[in-house]
Amino acid sequence: MSARGQVSAGELLQLVRSGRAVTRGALQQATGLSRATVGQRLDRLFRAGWLREGAGGPVGSPLGGRPSITLEFDDSHAVVLAADLETRHARAAVLSLTGEILAEHSGTLVVEDGPDAVLGDLGHWFGELLEKAGHRAEEVCGIGLAVPGPVDTASGRVVQPPIMPGWDGYDIRGRLARAFTEATGAPPVPVLVDNDANLMAYGEQRTGFPDCSAFVLVKVSTGIGAGVVVDGSLFRGIDGGAGDIGHIRVGTEALCRCGSYGCLAAVASGGAVARRLAEDGVPAASGSDVRDLLAAGHPAASALAREAGRQVGDVLATVVTLLNPGVLMIAGDLAGTAFLTGVRELLYQRALPRSTAHLHVVTSRLWERAGLVGAGALVVEHLYAPERVEERLMALGV
């Protein structure tokens, strides 16, 4: 927080949103600001429509005197758009600023059709979803997008994505902002792009495990990737490459879609399991096909999923030893009993007991909505960060 006397309206909003100080008196105590100064800065937030007085009744002030009314973040003043791209399927939604899904749509979108077409289609989806949710396009404050590849978050561009041909270095932010405007007529809004496993991890950790200081999610679908949340923040590495465990070499000669041999994804992803099933005469072309076979109890699919889980578990023993997480979550098309059994077999066999003594190995709780929830939360945390609040308040003239 800024030095006393320099605490901004954005920092007051952060205190209220986090629940650390939810009355005027508590804000005075937390910041050292005078009552008048707190009142002036809160007034800006009220005029912007970002704060409201709570309905829960008065509470005692830490400074004594008459009871103070609670303050709340007003999530009704804007909405967020979010989309989660897979290789052949996508999901999009309108969300409230507190993460509630207000309208949702899923359907076929093929990333190999290229970014211009795919992002253009998403723009149309967004327009239809806003109408379904009963919100105007002008109420949208930002868009979050999850993609199945490594992302340089500074530029919002994917970097050498193995399963996204034609997307390398493409201006995703600019195209999706234009697609939104073309579909709705509204001015462009900020667009944030991140890796799908990252945003799934962010959504799952925030909603289900907020007190876990080291959280790892592994998504096993067409490819394999991991998202890592440390102390409530995504750990991306220096250029967005953290968590790309699907391209760790595991000592086989299988050719991976990245062009290398022996990658974990080449032998243990949903795509790899689908190929092995197809070779044995079982109709399967993708991780989603494997998911359907597993749901139907197909014995060959179950056996291969368990074997894939063992291969992933062997790699995760190193991940767990390195990061010492409290929660290891398995998500994606293969995240069922057979795969999870295989993961546990090798993980607990190979990792030191010290590393797994307090580890919870679980499956996804938000399932197909995890990426949407994470993408929405990423936009909200970006737009309502203290320094950005000041910029936006000035732009609003309050």
Side-chain angles (χ1 to χ4, degrees):
M1 186 174 291
S2 304
R4 295 194 170 197
Q6 300 299 316
V7 179
S8 67
E11 287 168 308
L12 295 186
L13 181 64
Q14 184 80 354
L15 287 168
V16 173
R17 289 185 61 230
S18 68
R20 286 179 287 165
V22 296
T23 66
R24 289 169 174 82
L27 289 170
Q28 287 176 245
Q29 187 177 55
T31 63
L33 296 177
S34 69
R35 181 176 178 178
T37 302
V38 166
Q40 290 168 356
R41 293 179 185 171
L42 289 179
D43 183 60
R44 298 177 67 201
L45 298 171
F46 278 112
R47 283 187 285 141
W50 297 355
L51 271 189
R52 65 187 173 204
E53 292 187 342
V59 297
S61 168
L63 299 183
R66 65 181 184 179
S68 299
I69 301 297
T70 58
L71 303 171
E72 296 177 352
F73 179 58
D74 189 343
D75 69 338
S76 67
H77 69 273
V79 293
V80 174
L81 297 173
D84 186 3
L85 284 183
E86 297 185 3
T87 53
R88 306 188 62 82
H89 182 270
R91 187 174 295 271
V94 182
L95 295 94
S96 74
L97 297 181
T98 50
E100 178 187 358
I101 292 180
L102 307 175
E104 185 178 6
H105 174 74
S106 63
T108 300
L109 275 185
V110 182
V111 294
E112 290 186 356
D113 289 344
D116 187 65
V118 168
L119 298 174
D121 285 344
L122 277 182
H124 290 296
W125 286 17
F126 286 149
E128 293 168 357
L129 280 167
L130 284 165
E131 184 175 348
K132 181 179 177 181
H135 284 274
R136 296 175 294 106
E138 290 74 17
E139 295 177 73
V140 175
C141 63
I143 300 172
L145 177 64
V147 298
V151 177
D152 176 2
T153 52
S155 66
R157 299 171 189 251
V158 291
V159 182
Q160 300 177 355
I163 58 176
M164 299 180 70
W167 291 69
D168 186 20
Y170 186 85
D171 181 17
I172 296 174
R173 287 178 179 171
R175 176 65 183 108
L176 190 52
R178 291 195 304 276
F180 168 72
T181 297
E182 290 163 4
T184 65
V189 295
V191 176
L192 274 68
V193 185
D194 211 326
N195 171 261
D196 55 357
N198 280 351
L199 292 180
M200 290 173 71
Y202 197 50
E204 294 275 11
Q205 189 271 338
R206 287 172 62 87
T207 58
F209 302 90
D211 297 326
C212 181
S213 60
F215 178 96
V216 176
L217 177 143
V218 179
K219 180 184 180 184
V220 187
S221 291
T222 300
I224 300 175
V228 180
V229 182
V230 177
D231 292 333
S233 298
L234 279 167
F235 178 77
R236 300 184 178 94
I238 60 170
D239 61 4
D244 204 2
I245 65 170
H247 300 285
I248 292 175
R249 303 294 176 84
V250 293
T252 76
E253 295 303 316
L255 177 62
C256 183
R257 294 183 66 171
C258 73
S260 297
Y261 289 88
C263 294
L264 180 65
V267 294
S269 64
V273 172
R275 286 192 297 275
R276 291 186 62 182
L277 287 168
E279 290 168 2
D280 292 336
V282 179
S286 66
S288 59
D289 292 334
V290 177
R291 179 191 61 212
D292 294 340
L293 289 167
L294 290 171
H298 193 283
S302 296
L304 288 172
R306 182 167 179 171
E307 181 184 336
R310 288 172 58 84
Q311 291 166 314
V312 172
D314 197 9
V315 170
L316 289 179
T318 300
V319 172
V320 165
T321 301
L322 178 65
L323 297 177
N324 189 210
V327 175
L328 172 63
M329 179 174 282
I330 307 298
D333 291 331
L334 266 58
T337 301
F339 186 85
L340 192 63
T341 297
V343 167
R344 284 178 166 147
E345 286 175 357
L346 262 288
L347 172 62
Y348 287 105
Q349 177 183 326
R350 299 291 171 84
L352 291 172
R354 172 69 182 82
S355 301
T356 58
H358 303 288
L359 175 68
H360 299 280
V361 182
V362 300
T363 53
S364 174
R365 298 191 175 184
L366 296 174
W367 294 102
E368 69 274 3
R369 290 177 166 174
L372 295 176
V373 172
L378 188 74
V379 171
V380 173
E381 292 306 314
H382 172 79
L383 292 178
Y384 294 91
E387 64 278 8
R388 211 151 284 108
V389 164
E390 286 303 305
E391 296 171 7
R392 296 177 64 207
L393 289 174
M394 291 180 65
L396 290 171
V398 298

